[in-house]
Amino acid sequence: MTESYTTGPGGLPGNDDLGATSAWYVWAALGMYPATPGADTLAVHGPQFPSVLIQRPGGDITVNSAGRGGYVQALTVDGVATSHSYLRYPDIGGGATLSYTMGAAPSATWGTGVSDAPPSFRTGGTPVPEPELGTDLAEGRPVAASASCAAAESGDRAVDGSLRNNSKWCSKAAGAALRVDLGSPQTVSSFVLEHAGLGGERTGWNTGAFEIQTSTDGAHWATAASVTGSRSSRTYSAVSPRAARYVRVVVSAPVNTADAAPTTRIYELEVYGG
């Protein structure tokens, strides 16, 4: 932190266009780090400040540090001592107070036990294979969509099979809808929506709530999937196989944060049979 981050021309190491290395700095300063992406485990190593307050809707996290030096001597979570050199999300997800005691030399007891190391998620387990979805039935098919934000963000961009060059459908319409014509009745069983974060935009712009509907005639619609409270950059919805020529996405919450403009951003709508 002291050698790589400076105010000089080389003060930001690596590619910081998307904030990756700046995010590393923030995590390091907080005294914890998500060492395994996608897992609910945070490796801990002691904060850079005597007190930190992280304000979160689900509960605030307070990080306190006593003592001088760069080595953890002891850690308590809500007053309960732990020798683990990691935390699990349930430990802090609802709010917590972390209290560190720091020292100038490595501790002979804290974090030294076999069970104190962060878990290995491959040890003793078999990886779950990603389902083979097959051919995307929606790719390249005709679409009808609510008014787009710009000519280059029309509905057909959501079925072009690409995330590159900001290829998405964008709409400011309330209750924005995107309909794809599969050409003839098909058996469909799953749907994938790729949202703003997957295209390199803010994850707060990921679609918060939407319905996926199917129809054989374009006039009568049935709800296949209903998603609410989503923060994901990619949503996968598996349903009972059904016949459909048309698939429609109707968006009720274009974003998942209160501070974002209500603009729908769908990078890809994928439809799979089976």
Side-chain angles (χ1 to χ4, degrees):
M1 294 174 71
T2 57
E3 295 177 4
S4 297
Y5 293 81
T6 72
T7 57
L12 286 177
N15 178 1
D16 202 53
D17 290 348
L18 296 179
T21 51
S22 293
W24 178 93
Y25 189 99
V26 172
W27 277 110
L30 292 175
M32 60 186 82
Y33 192 78
T36 305
D40 70 343
T41 303
L42 295 169
V44 297
H45 54 269
Q48 296 292 309
F49 299 95
S51 182
V52 177
L53 173 63
I54 306 170
Q55 294 179 303
R56 304 173 61 252
D60 293 349
I61 299 173
T62 301
V63 184
N64 298 318
S65 177
R68 299 178 62 86
Y71 296 92
V72 178
Q73 308 297 304
L75 168 64
T76 65
V77 180
D78 290 332
V80 179
T82 176
S83 59
H84 290 172
S85 59
Y86 67 93
L87 299 168
R88 304 301 290 265
Y89 182 74
D91 298 334
I92 60 174
T97 297
L98 311 179
S99 298
Y100 290 87
T101 300
M102 306 299 293
S107 170
T109 56
W110 184 86
T112 59
V114 174
S115 63
D116 290 337
S120 171
F121 291 96
R122 296 295 293 271
T123 299
T126 302
V128 177
E130 184 173 335
E132 177 56 53
L133 299 178
T135 301
D136 177 10
L137 302 175
E139 184 172 343
R141 305 303 304 178
V143 300
S146 300
S148 60
C149 302
E153 297 174 324
S154 53
D156 59 297
R157 299 300 180 95
V159 294
D160 64 358
S162 175
L163 300 176
R164 298 179 62 185
N165 301 318
N166 202 34
S167 178
K168 69 175 182 291
W169 167 55
C170 172
S171 179
K172 296 181 182 296
L178 174 74
R179 187 192 75 178
V180 59
D181 181 355
L182 303 181
S184 62
Q186 308 279 336
T187 299
V188 301
S189 59
S190 61
F191 311 93
V192 172
L193 280 184
E194 297 177 349
H195 306 279
L198 211 60
E201 297 188 285
R202 291 174 50 187
T203 56
W205 293 348
N206 289 343
T207 313
F210 58 91
E211 277 194 0
I212 299 176
Q213 303 169 349
T214 61
S215 173
T216 56
D217 58 8
H220 303 87
W221 295 88
T223 299
S226 181
V227 177
T228 60
S230 176
R231 303 187 67 85
S232 299
S233 298
R234 179 183 186 271
T235 49
Y236 169 69
S237 301
V239 301
S240 300
R242 65 199 59 210
R245 172 172 176 173
Y246 302 94
V247 175
R248 182 169 69 180
V249 177
V250 181
V251 177
S252 54
V255 295
N256 58 51
T257 53
D259 62 343
T263 302
T264 296
R265 297 170 176 85
I266 301 294
Y267 273 77
E268 283 295 310
L269 163 61
E270 300 171 0
V271 180
Y272 296 97

